[in-house]
Amino acid sequence: HRFGLRMASTCSMPSFRIVPVAAGKGLGAVATRAIASGELILAERPLLAFSGEAANWRQAIRKQFNGLTAVQRAAVMDLHDVEEPKSLEGVVLTNGFSRTHSCFDVAVCLLISRFNHSCVPNCQQSWDGDRQEARMLASVAIAAGDELCYCYAAPHAPRQERTKHLWEHYRFHCGCPACLEEVVDTGTTR
């Protein structure tokens, strides 16, 4: 558990691996075997986390980062940053997720950060406050070889809202089946 994670599986075979995926998407998680709907794919504790006054997050994250091993620091800095030049703050803002909606809150998990976006996700990410870990569950049955994706935006929001959110926060245009269908059909909601 070098990085604070546990692979959740009823089989001895891991349910996914991190590999290069479609052009422009970098690395992603791909199923190595069939995964049942509702199955826990991964439970991972954040390497970096902050909750509190927004003015203090950079200093607190930097202190945590400096306390990581060299291997862990390199793994964090290998994550995507939408801004140039790459910075720890940019990596955290690009890959972090909120655990609560009551204050400024951000957490970064190495493997969950490798799960790419789809407006038609096959996974759902959640936070288990009791265990202090992020969890990735299969939201549908997944075949071996399928990319594992979760939605970075509100999946049932109109396409224009999802597009705006994804561009403002992650600097990409979604090419998932729902977005492509909506462009062809000229509809705005699913």
Side-chain angles (χ1 to χ4, degrees):
H1 304 232
R2 182 173 75 180
F3 292 117
L5 58 95
R6 60 187 169 90
M7 304 301 255
S9 172
T10 55
C11 302
S12 60
M13 178 185 209
S15 60
F16 72 95
R17 62 193 162 123
I18 305 297
V19 296
V21 291
K25 290 179 80 174
L27 298 177
V30 174
T32 56
R33 62 171 176 77
I35 302 171
S37 179
E39 183 177 337
L40 178 64
I41 298 168
L42 170 68
E44 182 178 15
R45 289 180 183 235
L47 276 183
L48 302 171
F50 177 78
S51 184
E53 292 296 321
N56 302 324
W57 81 270
R58 287 177 176 82
Q59 181 181 3
I61 290 290
R62 176 63 63 185
K63 184 176 180 180
Q64 289 174 36
F65 179 79
N66 290 339
L68 298 175
T69 67
V71 170
Q72 290 171 320
R73 286 192 306 270
V76 168
M77 293 310 295
D78 279 345
L79 296 174
H80 185 63
D81 181 353
V82 298
E83 300 295 334
E84 291 292 334
K86 187 177 226 178
S87 67
L88 174 61
E89 292 81 3
V91 167
V92 169
L93 291 175
T94 301
N95 295 279
F97 61 90
S98 180
R99 298 166 294 173
T100 178
H101 299 290
S102 60
C103 62
F104 184 85
D105 182 85
V106 65
V108 176
C109 294
L110 288 178
L111 287 178
I112 286 178
S113 293
R114 296 296 186 188
F115 283 63
N116 287 317
H117 165 81
S118 176
C119 295
V120 187
N122 54 12
C123 296
Q124 181 176 354
Q125 187 264 329
S126 64
W127 177 252
D128 183 332
D130 293 337
R131 293 182 185 233
Q132 292 296 295
E133 63 188 17
R135 300 164 61 86
M136 191 65 72
L137 295 115
S139 54
V140 297
I142 301 168
D146 286 355
E147 184 177 2
L148 304 175
C149 297
Y150 73 105
C151 192
Y152 297 179
H156 297 292
R159 180 180 169 274
Q160 291 173 318
E161 287 179 27
R162 295 191 319 266
T163 299
K164 181 180 179 199
H165 175 82
L166 293 170
W167 183 254
E168 288 176 354
H169 295 276
Y170 304 102
R171 295 288 189 261
F172 72 87
H173 295 288
C174 185
C176 77
C179 289
L180 294 177
E181 276 180 20
E182 290 173 2
V183 169
V184 170
D185 293 343
T186 67
T188 57
T189 60
R190 288 187 289 132

